[in-house]
Amino acid sequence: MFSMSDSTTLLCHNLVKLTLFSLMLSLGITLRLEAVLSLWQRPGLLNRSILAIIVVVPILVALVVFSFELPQEVKIGLILIAIAPGTSLTLYQPKHNRAQSYAIALQATVSLLAVITVPLTITILQEFFPPEMQISPFKVVQQLAVAQFLPLMLGITVRYCWSDFADNLETLLTQAANVLLCILLLWVLAQQLDAVLNIGFFPLIVIGLLAVISLWVGHFLGGRESSTRVTLATTTTTHSAALALFIAILNLPHLDVSPAIAVYVLVSGALTIAYTTWSVAVQVP
């Protein structure tokens, strides 16, 4: 997957695993019961949110990807990022405002569901790919159970069994997880800079189109409240780069999909910033 020496590749693979583990652990520790109940007591918002992240966006991404002639590595990378639920960065909510509570509860919900939804989506979509790009859904279940479900449940357990300890650990762990993710993305960009810069104009346009589509889906299904609309739009757009890279390194080491994932992170991040800035501006009286 990475064009590096064996030792450097191993180090990068371990960084991917550590980053995903720390992101899930920090998400679990940050999660509050009242935030989860607040979301789950709004079935309309909950169902629309899950529908947008787990169903609508992956389907639209697959339709776009299969409609254009793109390199196989780009196709696989975009599919993986589309089916990896949750945002890249974890959030710390010192004031526990409503938007952040909704964002964290939603991330935790789709991250728990990912153990089922990601392998299921892979099973459906990989029917359109050649044999050398097939992934075993059962292996993905085992991998996600260890790297995503386990640390998330561990964090939730710490939060509800030792809440004072979790309060003291929350900020530090969240910042550490975000720093690890930034290091990981910078590492990929540094090692794959030529591939990122040479990804091509047309794939770049397609990636931008997918990010815009994802923003629109979240904005449309987010409801009438501006806070939930903006939160769902950013969540459906950014996805979990760590999870996408994790699935790729364990199951498709012969494919160099990291440049496509890195470019998507950069493009979606820029569009998300522009969208949130616009959202704030239109709310100003």
Side-chain angles (χ1 to χ4, degrees), residues 34 59 85 124 203 216 254:
E34 57 270 21
I59 289 177
I124 297 172
W216 180 84
H254 56 287

Side-chain angles (χ1 to χ4, degrees), residues 194-230:
D194 288 342
V196 169
L197 294 177
N198 295 316
I199 196 168
F201 179 73
F202 184 66
L204 185 62
I205 294 299
V206 172
I207 290 172
L209 174 63
L210 293 179
V212 171
I213 290 174
S214 299
L215 271 174
W216 180 84
V217 169
H219 182 88
F220 179 75
L221 294 177
R224 296 182 179 180
E225 292 183 37
S226 60
S227 59
T228 58
R229 199 165 53 235
V230 172

Side-chain angles (χ1 to χ4, degrees), residues 71-150:
Q72 290 290 4
E73 292 82 358
V74 174
K75 287 185 177 182
I76 296 294
L78 294 179
I79 290 294
L80 288 180
I81 196 73
I83 67 174
T87 58
S88 293
L89 297 179
T90 54
L91 303 172
Y92 172 59
Q93 47 171 350
K95 297 181 181 180
H96 309 300
N97 67 63
R98 188 171 183 177
Q100 284 187 332
S101 296
Y102 164 59
I104 293 173
L106 177 58
Q107 288 184 39
T109 301
V110 296
S111 295
L112 289 172
L113 291 174
V115 179
I116 299 174
T117 61
V118 171
L120 180 60
T121 308
I122 287 175
T123 302
I124 297 172
L125 294 181
Q126 72 178 356
E127 295 297 325
F128 301 95
F129 290 105
E132 65 272 15
M133 298 180 185
Q134 301 295 303
I135 300 175
S136 170
F138 299 104
K139 287 185 178 179
V140 175
V141 170
Q142 296 172 352
Q143 293 160 0
L144 294 186
V146 174
Q148 180 143 316
F149 184 82
L150 177 61

